[in-house]
């Protein structure tokens, strides 16, 4: 059974040039500039694809503009299980997501942006899958389909095939106050289980990892086999690092940087100061994955691994771990570092040798967007 | 009124046969026979005795094989029906299976290989009685040496991936012979090189480093230089890559590898666009391979038997797989591999019927003909590319705006974003028009990919027909997407479920496994 949540005000600030739609003031100003929320339209476009093949489908949703209206407009049948407060607030989305999961929805479609993804993630149990219909201003989280029709096609496939493989994807959001001041530092807020369609071919010439999670596990195993005794490893945040911790048999804070030495966690959720103190005690290396769809290695979602920490580690400071598909998904865009220190950024720019499995690595370009001339150094 | 003949519509009204034919094991009727084998004559039995009694214990079956029991006519019908339920290379405009070089394999060559002079030969026959077959093998190897510029060639392997395995096995043996086996533990490849290169290197125990393309979509020389080190055993690259892009700096790549003491291995499985134009040895490569069943006019045999050709420089020749055919004056003899040979990868001389077909194909064309093949294949490809890029929603990522060699990996990403219709769905719909279409092999780098390789065999009219079909399906994706989404509508099989193939618990690739895993479906 699928569900739908529309964030009625998602995207309202974008066209109005307000860099996001959070905050009652922004919403009012956007309204004054003639902005119209497009989340509902996008949700209808997605559901229309479902309706084409399953005209009688029921969709579990929230009342009125939070989903019910869009379900009706697409010609499907709403089952309303949540009524929002007035005016709407982020906790509406979170509570609605929880309500949908409570009645047994196994895939929640949500129309909005990063803020909506964040609120949905806060309400959904790990067993419920979610997929974003892109309708927001900011979409750093790789939890969105490429477009409304593609989201609808995935939802239809989910219903036809009674579930699809899912992968754990990060939910990132930036503080919009920062964004409006042109400083972008997305933070990691959690993860969602996002369905995907494996790259299917009619005539396969080679096996592909059956699911994305298996590819993540392979990369994590590659990292685990490369760890050496006596070295402090500063494990960054994210799903891939969680898998590395699983390989090592240690606990991992999902959003924090944890220090592992000889198979044991010595500091969990370390601050920059704590990391500096650890690095001072002996040889160390940061282990990071690619955060979100933008390709950041450092400077987004893991600011604890600061320029000073990287500097203190010394030579070859960072091991990058990611399944090959994450590099491929960058579509040729480089990996990025932005530690805030031009010297450190310049040293990290060039190429990274990314660990993709126990006996495989990939060479991938790293750029430092904040400094000129550090692009693609040999 | 049936005359005059009604004009044909713009798109072929194809309809695939559908026979609902059971699996052959289900057709078995106990006691039915296709051939009644004559009883052994008493004189023969007296002369040889009980041959079965002399079989080693472990080889003798206790129960007869569970073969289907059927009359001849029913067997014939069974396979003819199955043959009607697929889109064979000789039926459709088979340009949609890019990277496979689905060209026309001349039928006259089938006559050559079915002559008893060849088909009745045994591979272990005394070379004195096999001079003609050995001469053809030798001559074919020499022609391939000329085409590649390499010093020696072996036709011993039975497919492209087996030949790639031979390449890395020779490279490994070479480094071991030079005492560098323990030091050189890494093989470098590109993400658009055929994945068998990475797979063979991994199987040979190497760590594999994959390079992504540079900002212009070309193989990234700077990334190569970053990856090369005294640990590098070899670079293993396909060129042109699976995208149809030719590496313009290929000589620098090889030189950079040599500079750190590594070898350079060239996957030229699809050499169709470079015959008579570029040569592996001229770019400095140490080893290379061809897929004879692609470039040299022999059929693919639906996954085999194919034929691989391994070309090597003189320094690598001692490591070639064996046995080898050697010419001595005007006589030909068979030599087992020398002390440094990597040994046999398959039985005997490889797939001799394919070697004879390739020999006949090359002899019919001559050197100028081979070059004309390449020129025509490249021309056809660039013509088709122009037609495809005129279809709204189709694109050719990487090296944008540049020409390609013999194939192109295209993308429907724009169309997908607009309509939600995937490349796979477009391919299934294309089969309703009688066209085969394939997406891409692993890894899926180009989003919503499709790979077209028109070869020299197809006329402009047929390329136009293919492009028209794709344009029509793209139009449907926008205007009547349900027609595409619910396709195929005129095929023998509606949908296959890949999930069953991904799960070892569920797949059943023999009848015995099927009965074991699905006892309820087949009864006791
Ligand atoms: C470039 C390339 N190399 C190697 C191979 C492997 O050849 P085979 O399928 O005969 O093993 C292929 C086949 O698709 C190929 O396209």
């Amino acid at each position: 059974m699928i569900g739908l949540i529309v964030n009625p005000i998602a995207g309202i600030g974008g066209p109005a040039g307000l860099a996001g739609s959070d905050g009652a003031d922004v919403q009012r100003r956007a309204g004054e500039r003639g902005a119209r929320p497009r989340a509902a339209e996008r949700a209808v476009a997605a559901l229309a694809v479902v309706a084409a093949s399953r005209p009688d489908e029921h969709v579990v949703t929230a009342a009125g503009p939070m989903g019910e209206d869009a379900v009706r407009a697409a010609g499907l049948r709403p089952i309303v299980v949540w009524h929002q407060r007035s005016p709407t607030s982020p906790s509406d989305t979170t509570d609605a997501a929880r309500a949908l999961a409570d009645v047994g929805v196994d895939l929640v479609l949500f129309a909005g942006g990063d803020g909506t993804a964040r609120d949905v993630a806060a309400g959904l149990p790990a067993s419920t899958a979610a997929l974003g219909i892109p309708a927001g201003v900011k979409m750093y989280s790789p939890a969105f389909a490429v477009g409304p029709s593609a989201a609808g096609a995935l939802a239809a496939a989910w219903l036809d095939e009674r579930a699809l493989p899912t992968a754990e994807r990060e939910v990132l959001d930036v503080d919009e106050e920062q964004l409006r001041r042109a400083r972008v530092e997305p933070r990691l807020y959690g993860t969602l289980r996002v369905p995907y369609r494996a790259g299917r071919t009619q005539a396969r010439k080679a096996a592909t990892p059956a699911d994305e999670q298996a590819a993540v596990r392979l990369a994590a195993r590659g990292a685990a086999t490369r760890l050496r005794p006596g070295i402090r490893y500063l494990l960054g945040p994210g799903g891939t690092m969680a898998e590395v911790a699983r390989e090592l048999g240690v606990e991992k804070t999902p959003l924090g940087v944890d220090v592992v030495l000889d198979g044991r966690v010595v500091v969990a959720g370390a601050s920059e100061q704590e990391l500096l103190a650890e690095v001072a005690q002996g040889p160390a290396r940061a282990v990071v994955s690619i955060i979100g769809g933008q390709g950041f290695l450092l400077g987004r979602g893991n600011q604890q691994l600061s320029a000073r920490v990287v500097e203190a580690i010394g030579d070859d400071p960072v091991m990058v771990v990611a399944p090959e598909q994450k590099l491929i998904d960058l579509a040729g865009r480089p990996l990025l570092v932005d530690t805030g220190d031009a010297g450190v950024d310049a040293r990290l720019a060039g190429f990274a040798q990314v660990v993709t499995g126990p006996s495989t690595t990939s060479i991938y370009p790293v750029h430092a967007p904040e400094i000129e001339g550090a692009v693609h150094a040999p | 009124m049936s005359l005059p003949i009604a004009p044909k519509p713009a798109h072929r009204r194809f309809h695939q046969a559908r026979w609902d034919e059971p699996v052959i094991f289900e057709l078995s009727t106990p006691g039915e026979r296709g051939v009644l084998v004559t009883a052994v004559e008493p004189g023969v039995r007296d002369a040889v005795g009980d041959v079965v009694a002399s079989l080693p214990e472990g080889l003798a079956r206790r129960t007869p094989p569970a073969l289907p029991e059927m009359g001849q006519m029913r067997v014939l019908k069974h396979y003819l029906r199955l043959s009607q339920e697929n889109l064979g290379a000789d039926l459709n405009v088979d340009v949609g299976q890019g990277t496979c070089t689905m060209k026309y394999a001349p039928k006259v060559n089938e006559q050559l290989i079915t002559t008893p002079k060849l088909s009745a030969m045994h591979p272990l026959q005394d070379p004195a009685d096999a001079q003609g077959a050995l001469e053809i093998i030798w001559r074919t190897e020499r022609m391939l040496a000329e085409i590649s510029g390499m010093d020696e060639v072996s036709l011993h392997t039975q497919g492209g991936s087996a030949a790639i395995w031979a390449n890395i096995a020779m490279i490994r043996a070479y480094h071991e012979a030079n005492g560098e086996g323990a030091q050189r533990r890494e093989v470098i490849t590109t993400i658009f090189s055929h994945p068998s290169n990475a797979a063979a290197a991994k199987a040979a125990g190497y760590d594999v480093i994959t390079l992504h393309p540079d900002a212009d979509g070309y193989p990234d020389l700077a990334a190569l230089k970053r990856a090369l080190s005294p640990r590098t055993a070899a670079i293993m690259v396909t060129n042109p890559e699976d995208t149809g892009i030719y590496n313009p700096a290929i000589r620098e790549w090889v030189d950079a590898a040599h500079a750190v003491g590594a070898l350079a291995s060239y996957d030229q499985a699809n050499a169709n666009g470079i015959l008579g134009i570029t040569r592996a040895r001229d770019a400095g490569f140490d080893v290379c391979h061809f897929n004879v069943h692609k470039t040299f006019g022999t059929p693919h045999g639906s996954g085999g038997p194919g034929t691989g050709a391994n070309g090597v420089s003189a320094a690598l020749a001692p490591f070639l797989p064996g046995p080898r055919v050697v010419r001595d004056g005007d006589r030909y003899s068979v030599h087992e591999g020398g002390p440094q040979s990597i040994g046999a990868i398959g039985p005997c001389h490889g797939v001799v019927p394919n070697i004879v077909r390739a020999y006949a194909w090359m002899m019919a064309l001559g050197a100028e003909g081979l070059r004309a093949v390449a020129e025509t294949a490249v021309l056809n490809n660039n013509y088709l590319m122009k037609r495809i890029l005129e279809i709204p929603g189709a694109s050719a990522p990487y090296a944008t705006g540049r020409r390609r060699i013999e194939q192109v990996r295209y993308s429907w990403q724009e169309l997908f974003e607009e309509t939600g219709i995937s490349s796979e769905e477009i391919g299934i719909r294309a089969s309703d028009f009688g066209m085969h279409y394939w997406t891409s092999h692993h890894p899926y780098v180009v989003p919503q990919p499709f790979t077209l390789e028109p070869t020299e065999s197809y006329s402009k009219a047929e390329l136009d027909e293919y492009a028209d079909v794709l344009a029509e399906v793209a139009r449907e994706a926008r205007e009547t997407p349900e027609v595409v989404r619910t396709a195929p509508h005129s095929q023998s099989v509606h949908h296959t479920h890949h999930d069953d193939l991904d799960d070892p618990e569920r797949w059943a690739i023999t009848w015995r496994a099927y009965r074991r895993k699905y006892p309820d479906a087949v009864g006791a």
Side-chain angles (χ1 to χ4, degrees):
Chain A
M1 197 161 44
I2 62 169
L4 173 74
I5 297 175
V6 176
N7 174 357
I9 53 96
I12 198 167
L18 293 172
S21 315
D22 303 349
D25 181 44
V26 171
Q27 287 158 27
R28 185 184 46 74
R29 274 162 59 207
E32 283 164 13
R33 291 188 198 181
R36 209 161 47 92
R38 54 184 191 137
E41 286 164 29
R42 311 272 283 176
V44 174
L47 289 186
V49 175
V50 177
S53 59
R54 304 178 149 261
D56 297 323
E57 194 65 39
H58 289 92
V59 179
V60 183
T61 187
M66 275 191 70
E68 181 187 1
D69 298 348
V71 175
R72 282 191 207 289
L76 294 173
R77 305 178 180 191
I79 302 175
V80 176
V81 297
W82 172 256
H83 291 79
Q84 71 265 38
R85 307 170 186 98
S86 176
T88 62
S89 79
S91 64
D92 275 318
T93 302
T94 304
D95 294 341
R98 193 171 295 127
L100 262 54
D102 283 347
V103 299
V105 167
D106 50 13
L107 173 65
V108 174
L109 297 173
F110 61 92
D114 283 330
T116 316
R118 193 174 142 186
D119 297 333
V120 168
L124 278 193
S127 54
T128 308
L131 175 66
I133 301 166
V137 180
K138 311 156 293 170
M139 279 170 292
Y140 290 96
S141 313
F144 294 93
V146 292
S149 305
L154 263 172
W158 179 275
L159 290 166
D160 288 344
E161 295 170 31
R162 267 173 260 107
L164 292 169
T166 58
E168 212 172 324
R169 300 265 174 84
E170 296 97 352
V171 174
L172 299 160
D173 198 8
V174 296
D175 177 339
E176 289 183 356
E177 272 310 314
Q178 286 184 351
L179 199 56
R180 279 177 217 116
R181 284 187 255 111
R183 174 113 185 91
V184 193
E185 284 194 3
R187 276 186 50 199
L188 182 59
Y189 284 94
T191 58
L192 283 171
R193 296 202 70 79
V194 179
Y196 63 93
R197 292 198 89 167
R200 289 178 169 182
T201 65
Q202 307 134 47
R204 293 180 172 194
K205 286 179 160 188
T208 50
D211 65 59
E212 200 174 311
Q213 214 53 42
V216 171
R217 211 170 303 134
L218 210 61
R221 193 162 303 157
T225 58
R226 286 170 170 83
L227 302 192
R228 299 284 166 263
I231 298 180
R232 284 174 169 71
Y233 290 100
L234 322 185
L235 302 190
T240 309
M241 287 302 117
E243 198 60 45
V244 172
R246 232 161 275 154
E247 282 293 325
L248 297 173
V250 301
E251 285 289 325
K252 176 89 191 64
T253 60
L255 306 182
V257 178
D258 302 345
V259 183
V260 174
L261 171 66
D262 296 334
R264 291 197 347 266
V265 177
V266 292
V267 188
S271 66
E272 182 195 13
Q273 285 310 322
E274 289 171 307
L275 292 177
L276 285 170
E278 282 299 315
V279 171
Q281 293 184 45
R285 198 163 185 220
V287 186
V288 301
S289 191
I290 302 165
I291 302 288
Q294 311 296 106
F296 272 99
L297 297 178
L298 287 175
R300 299 291 183 275
N302 56 9
Q303 281 87 344
Q304 307 92 309
L305 289 169
S306 65
R308 285 165 61 196
V309 173
V310 172
E311 194 89 270
I313 293 175
D315 281 346
D316 202 8
V318 187
M319 181 197 298
V320 184
V321 187
E324 187 82 63
Q325 191 61 43
K326 270 215 178 179
L327 298 175
I328 290 169
D329 288 345
L330 293 173
R333 284 175 286 115
L335 293 168
L336 302 171
V337 288
D338 177 16
T339 64
D341 180 312
V344 171
D345 286 358
R347 205 149 59 77
L348 294 171
F351 288 100
Q353 185 161 7
V354 181
V355 173
T356 55
S359 60
T360 55
T361 54
S362 283
I363 305 280
Y364 203 87
V366 181
H367 289 195
E370 294 299 305
I371 51 172
E372 295 275 311
V375 173
H376 226 116
Chain B
M1 200 176 85
S2 57
L3 287 174
I5 297 167
K8 300 294 179 207
H11 302 287
R12 208 177 275 282
R13 288 163 299 180
F14 171 77
H15 204 295
Q16 185 75 271
R18 177 174 186 152
W19 287 101
D20 265 347
E21 184 70 357
V23 174
I24 194 162
F25 291 97
E26 296 174 291
L27 292 172
S28 181
T29 306
E32 252 183 54
R33 286 289 177 277
V35 181
L36 294 175
V37 181
T38 336
V40 181
E41 289 167 42
V44 173
R45 192 193 323 242
D46 291 346
V48 299
D50 185 358
V51 288
V52 177
S54 64
L55 272 182
E57 178 68 3
L59 282 184
R61 307 186 70 107
R62 307 213 182 287
T63 49
L67 294 174
E69 300 173 69
M70 298 167 71
Q72 277 193 25
M73 192 198 200
R74 189 64 187 87
V75 174
L76 177 68
K77 223 170 262 174
H78 177 73
Y79 287 108
L80 283 179
R81 286 172 178 174
L82 294 190
S83 76
Q84 289 191 343
E85 292 189 336
N86 71 57
L87 276 175
D90 289 334
L91 283 172
N92 88 104
V93 180
D94 207 7
V95 306
Q97 179 92 16
T99 82
C100 287
T101 319
M102 304 304 293
K103 64 168 66 177
Y104 176 60
K107 296 301 165 226
V108 65
N109 294 344
E110 301 307 300
Q111 291 186 15
L112 298 180
I113 63 152
T114 45
T115 160
K117 289 179 182 171
L118 187 71
S119 62
M121 300 276 297
H122 191 279
L124 297 181
Q125 206 157 335
D126 186 337
D129 298 337
Q131 287 294 300
L134 296 178
E135 178 174 354
I136 288 177
I137 295 172
W138 187 87
R139 284 181 175 277
T140 309
E141 289 182 348
R142 291 321 304 163
M143 284 195 279
L144 291 168
E146 189 59 38
I147 289 167
S148 61
M150 307 308 276
D151 293 304
E152 295 287 341
V153 170
S154 159
L155 285 160
H156 168 77
T157 56
Q158 302 182 341
S161 302
I164 293 174
W165 167 258
N167 282 344
I168 189 64
M170 288 189 285
I171 288 165
R172 188 174 60 179
Y174 173 88
H175 288 310
E176 280 168 7
N178 292 333
E180 292 190 337
Q183 166 201 333
R184 298 192 180 273
R185 301 306 322 145
E186 295 173 355
V187 166
I188 301 168
T189 186
T190 68
I191 194 141
F192 284 126
S193 290
H194 191 273
S196 284
N197 291 279
K202 234 196 267 187
Y206 287 102
D207 290 340
V208 177
I209 302 175
T210 303
L211 309 180
H212 285 247
D214 69 16
D216 298 324
Y218 287 99
D220 192 338
L221 183 59
L224 173 70
K225 290 183 173 161
R226 163 69 171 74
L228 284 166
S229 79
R231 292 185 304 281
T232 313
I235 62 169
M236 297 184 79
V237 293
T238 302
N239 188 38
E241 296 197 298
D242 284 348
T243 50
I245 293 171
Y246 191 90
N247 182 350
I250 193 66
R251 176 86 226 189
E252 282 105 306
W253 276 56
V254 174
D255 290 346
H258 285 165
V260 299
L263 296 179
S265 172
Y266 191 170
D267 172 354
Q268 323 190 81
N270 310 28
N272 217 38
I274 56 176
L275 290 173
I277 296 172
T278 68
R279 304 202 309 168
R281 190 69 186 135
D282 297 344
F285 280 96
D286 305 285
V287 300
C288 74
H289 96 277
F290 295 105
N291 277 25
V292 174
H293 52 284
K294 288 181 181 167
T295 306
F296 295 98
T298 80
H300 290 55
S302 205
T307 289
N310 288 92
V312 294
S313 66
L316 271 295
F319 302 96
L320 279 170
R324 310 256 305 123
V325 176
V326 176
R327 183 159 85 157
D328 189 4
D330 58 358
R331 303 294 296 169
Y332 299 88
S333 53
V334 177
H335 289 206
E336 290 309 319
Q340 293 188 303
S341 163
I342 60 169
I345 284 183
C348 306
H349 299 296
V351 183
V352 174
N354 271 354
I355 298 172
V356 173
R357 288 181 179 113
Y359 178 75
W361 189 80
M362 284 190 272
M363 289 301 284
L365 282 163
E368 311 80 54
L370 291 178
R371 188 179 168 107
V373 162
E375 289 169 347
T376 312
V378 173
L379 185 64
N380 275 355
N381 184 44
N382 284 284
Y383 174 71
L384 186 62
M385 178 157 83
K386 179 164 187 309
R387 287 287 328 263
I388 297 296
L389 294 182
E390 284 166 5
I391 304 174
S395 63
Y398 300 99
T400 321
R402 310 298 294 270
R403 300 231 177 264
R404 305 288 169 104
I405 307 296
E406 86 296 11
Q407 64 191 2
V408 181
R409 183 155 295 157
Y410 299 93
S411 173
W412 285 121
Q413 179 70 2
E414 279 169 40
L415 188 71
F416 174 68
E417 287 178 16
E418 201 182 314
T419 64
I421 297 285
S422 67
S423 179
E424 184 188 13
E425 288 167 318
I426 289 172
I428 291 170
R429 177 63 180 146
S431 76
D432 281 339
F433 296 92
M435 297 301 180
H436 174 61
Y437 167 110
W438 171 76
T439 51
S440 153
H441 45 54
H442 169 83
Y444 252 45
V445 181
V446 170
Q448 302 302 330
F450 61 114
T451 314
L452 310 183
E453 182 185 12
T455 79
E456 75 282 9
S457 299
Y458 290 97
S459 65
K460 177 171 175 297
E462 287 193 305
L463 298 181
D464 283 336
E465 183 181 359
Y466 198 89
D468 289 347
V469 164
L470 291 190
E472 173 68 3
V473 177
R475 186 192 63 75
E476 289 178 342
R478 289 195 176 82
E479 295 173 14
T480 52
E482 274 318 291
V483 171
V484 182
R485 203 166 276 128
T486 53
H489 305 287
S490 51
Q491 279 298 327
S492 335
V493 176
H494 198 67
H495 275 157
T496 51
H497 292 281
H498 293 259
D499 299 352
D500 294 336
L501 306 177
D502 284 336
D503 182 359
E505 295 301 317
R506 277 191 282 168
W507 69 43
I509 53 176
T510 64
W511 181 246
R512 198 186 302 178
Y514 181 65
R515 284 206 305 199
R516 177 161 42 77
K517 292 182 179 178
Y518 301 92
D520 295 344
V522 287

